[in-house]
Amino acid sequence: MDNIDRDLMRLLAENARAPVATLARKLGLARSTVQARIDRLEARGVIAGYALRLGDAAEAELIRATVLLSLEPRATAAVLARLKALPAVERAHTASGRFDMVLSVAAGSTAALDDTLDRIGEIDGVRGSESLIHLSTRIDRRSR
């Protein structure tokens, strides 16, 4: 991946729906060259897909939490399979330290969040959990 690919990915991160002609103009390249680069990045797995990114209005309506999980030994695969079935679980990371997994959870209401936390706690292989409810965002460096 070279600097042009990085610039292209930055532009796509800002607006994945930007027309290839617009991207080409911003990069100073031919449209066919930009399309070929996008195709190559997709084929190599550098670009895994394109997704909906919620705006501030939709994000403000969500209640977010970080959930720290302690797992039984060798239970990670089974726990992940069950977590994938819970739509409120946005991300799951394995971790080192006191906890084995860190989850990012988002729900539309406190009742929905409570239900999700209950479901997580009931998963076979989850030894224990700690939930941290997000109150306000002070820094957000995600591309918007």
Side-chain angles (χ1 to χ4, degrees), residues 104-121:
S104 295
V105 178
S109 67
T110 55
L113 179 61
D114 190 41
D115 180 61
T116 298
L117 296 175
D118 286 345
R119 289 173 183 258
I120 291 169

mmCIF file of all heavy atoms in Angstrom, residues 104-121:
data_model
loop_
_atom_site.group_PDB
_atom_site.id
_atom_site.type_symbol
_atom_site.label_atom_id
_atom_site.label_comp_id
_atom_site.label_asym_id
_atom_site.label_seq_id
_atom_site.Cartn_x
_atom_site.Cartn_y
_atom_site.Cartn_z
ATOM 1 N N SER A 104 -18.234 -3.743 23.200
ATOM 2 C CA SER A 104 -18.894 -2.453 23.014
ATOM 3 C C SER A 104 -20.354 -2.772 22.719
ATOM 4 O O SER A 104 -20.657 -3.506 21.780
ATOM 5 C CB SER A 104 -18.289 -1.686 21.847
ATOM 6 O OG SER A 104 -16.952 -1.360 22.118
ATOM 7 N N VAL A 105 -21.233 -2.222 23.543
ATOM 8 C CA VAL A 105 -22.657 -2.516 23.443
ATOM 9 C C VAL A 105 -23.423 -1.202 23.274
ATOM 10 O O VAL A 105 -23.071 -0.195 23.891
ATOM 11 C CB VAL A 105 -23.137 -3.261 24.720
ATOM 12 C CG1 VAL A 105 -24.620 -3.535 24.677
ATOM 13 C CG2 VAL A 105 -22.355 -4.554 24.889
ATOM 14 N N ALA A 106 -24.469 -1.218 22.440
ATOM 15 C CA ALA A 106 -25.321 -0.042 22.256
ATOM 16 C C ALA A 106 -26.768 -0.496 22.180
ATOM 17 O O ALA A 106 -27.086 -1.472 21.509
ATOM 18 C CB ALA A 106 -24.939 0.719 20.998
ATOM 19 N N ALA A 107 -27.641 0.224 22.868
ATOM 20 C CA ALA A 107 -29.064 -0.115 22.884
ATOM 21 C C ALA A 107 -29.889 1.158 22.846
ATOM 22 O O ALA A 107 -29.418 2.228 23.235
ATOM 23 C CB ALA A 107 -29.399 -0.936 24.120
ATOM 24 N N GLY A 108 -31.124 1.015 22.411
ATOM 25 C CA GLY A 108 -32.011 2.164 22.274
ATOM 26 C C GLY A 108 -32.667 2.616 23.558
ATOM 27 O O GLY A 108 -33.244 3.702 23.609
ATOM 28 N N SER A 109 -32.603 1.804 24.604
ATOM 29 C CA SER A 109 -33.220 2.177 25.877
ATOM 30 C C SER A 109 -32.487 1.472 27.008
ATOM 31 O O SER A 109 -31.752 0.507 26.777
ATOM 32 C CB SER A 109 -34.699 1.767 25.898
ATOM 33 O OG SER A 109 -34.805 0.351 25.897
ATOM 34 N N THR A 110 -32.721 1.938 28.220
ATOM 35 C CA THR A 110 -32.104 1.269 29.368
ATOM 36 C C THR A 110 -32.656 -0.148 29.516
ATOM 37 O O THR A 110 -31.925 -1.064 29.888
ATOM 38 C CB THR A 110 -32.322 2.063 30.676
ATOM 39 O OG1 THR A 110 -33.714 2.287 30.858
ATOM 40 C CG2 THR A 110 -31.575 3.382 30.646
ATOM 41 N N ALA A 111 -33.940 -0.346 29.194
ATOM 42 C CA ALA A 111 -34.522 -1.688 29.273
ATOM 43 C C ALA A 111 -33.843 -2.623 28.275
ATOM 44 O O ALA A 111 -33.534 -3.780 28.606
ATOM 45 C CB ALA A 111 -36.025 -1.636 29.022
ATOM 46 N N ALA A 112 -33.604 -2.147 27.058
ATOM 47 C CA ALA A 112 -32.939 -2.976 26.046
ATOM 48 C C ALA A 112 -31.503 -3.268 26.449
ATOM 49 O O ALA A 112 -31.008 -4.387 26.260
ATOM 50 C CB ALA A 112 -32.987 -2.291 24.686
ATOM 51 N N LEU A 113 -30.821 -2.280 27.019
ATOM 52 C CA LEU A 113 -29.455 -2.495 27.491
ATOM 53 C C LEU A 113 -29.444 -3.509 28.623
ATOM 54 O O LEU A 113 -28.626 -4.437 28.641
ATOM 55 C CB LEU A 113 -28.822 -1.174 27.940
ATOM 56 C CG LEU A 113 -27.389 -1.284 28.469
ATOM 57 C CD1 LEU A 113 -26.449 -1.826 27.401
ATOM 58 C CD2 LEU A 113 -26.916 0.078 28.957
ATOM 59 N N ASP A 114 -30.367 -3.372 29.561
ATOM 60 C CA ASP A 114 -30.460 -4.303 30.690
ATOM 61 C C ASP A 114 -30.710 -5.725 30.186
ATOM 62 O O ASP A 114 -30.092 -6.685 30.666
ATOM 63 C CB ASP A 114 -31.569 -3.855 31.642
ATOM 64 C CG ASP A 114 -31.578 -4.612 32.941
ATOM 65 O OD1 ASP A 114 -30.487 -4.879 33.492
ATOM 66 O OD2 ASP A 114 -32.681 -4.946 33.418
ATOM 67 N N ASP A 115 -31.596 -5.875 29.218
ATOM 68 C CA ASP A 115 -31.883 -7.196 28.649
ATOM 69 C C ASP A 115 -30.627 -7.788 28.010
ATOM 70 O O ASP A 115 -30.323 -8.970 28.190
ATOM 71 C CB ASP A 115 -33.012 -7.090 27.619
ATOM 72 C CG ASP A 115 -33.347 -8.426 27.001
ATOM 73 O OD1 ASP A 115 -33.753 -9.343 27.749
ATOM 74 O OD2 ASP A 115 -33.185 -8.564 25.767
ATOM 75 N N THR A 116 -29.896 -6.979 27.250
ATOM 76 C CA THR A 116 -28.668 -7.457 26.608
ATOM 77 C C THR A 116 -27.642 -7.882 27.655
ATOM 78 O O THR A 116 -27.008 -8.931 27.524
ATOM 79 C CB THR A 116 -28.076 -6.375 25.688
ATOM 80 O OG1 THR A 116 -29.027 -6.085 24.653
ATOM 81 C CG2 THR A 116 -26.770 -6.823 25.065
ATOM 82 N N LEU A 117 -27.489 -7.079 28.711
ATOM 83 C CA LEU A 117 -26.531 -7.435 29.761
ATOM 84 C C LEU A 117 -26.929 -8.741 30.447
ATOM 85 O O LEU A 117 -26.071 -9.572 30.759
ATOM 86 C CB LEU A 117 -26.415 -6.296 30.778
ATOM 87 C CG LEU A 117 -25.846 -4.984 30.233
ATOM 88 C CD1 LEU A 117 -25.884 -3.903 31.302
ATOM 89 C CD2 LEU A 117 -24.446 -5.174 29.684
ATOM 90 N N ASP A 118 -28.230 -8.928 30.662
ATOM 91 C CA ASP A 118 -28.704 -10.194 31.240
ATOM 92 C C ASP A 118 -28.369 -11.362 30.321
ATOM 93 O O ASP A 118 -27.911 -12.414 30.776
ATOM 94 C CB ASP A 118 -30.216 -10.153 31.480
ATOM 95 C CG ASP A 118 -30.605 -9.292 32.666
ATOM 96 O OD1 ASP A 118 -29.719 -8.942 33.482
ATOM 97 O OD2 ASP A 118 -31.806 -8.954 32.775
ATOM 98 N N ARG A 119 -28.603 -11.190 29.030
ATOM 99 C CA ARG A 119 -28.335 -12.267 28.066
ATOM 100 C C ARG A 119 -26.844 -12.604 28.017
ATOM 101 O O ARG A 119 -26.464 -13.773 27.911
ATOM 102 C CB ARG A 119 -28.833 -11.887 26.683
ATOM 103 C CG ARG A 119 -30.347 -11.877 26.574
ATOM 104 C CD ARG A 119 -30.764 -11.327 25.215
ATOM 105 N NE ARG A 119 -32.190 -11.233 25.113
ATOM 106 C CZ ARG A 119 -32.945 -12.103 24.453
ATOM 107 N NH1 ARG A 119 -32.395 -13.134 23.850
ATOM 108 N NH2 ARG A 119 -34.246 -11.943 24.404
ATOM 109 N N ILE A 120 -26.015 -11.582 28.096
ATOM 110 C CA ILE A 120 -24.565 -11.816 28.097
ATOM 111 C C ILE A 120 -24.178 -12.620 29.341
ATOM 112 O O ILE A 120 -23.416 -13.582 29.260
ATOM 113 C CB ILE A 120 -23.791 -10.482 28.032
ATOM 114 C CG1 ILE A 120 -23.987 -9.836 26.653
ATOM 115 C CG2 ILE A 120 -22.309 -10.695 28.339
ATOM 116 C CD1 ILE A 120 -23.494 -8.407 26.549
ATOM 117 N N GLY A 121 -24.708 -12.227 30.483
ATOM 118 C CA GLY A 121 -24.388 -12.918 31.729
ATOM 119 C C GLY A 121 -24.847 -14.362 31.769
ATOM 120 O O GLY A 121 -24.284 -15.179 32.507
#
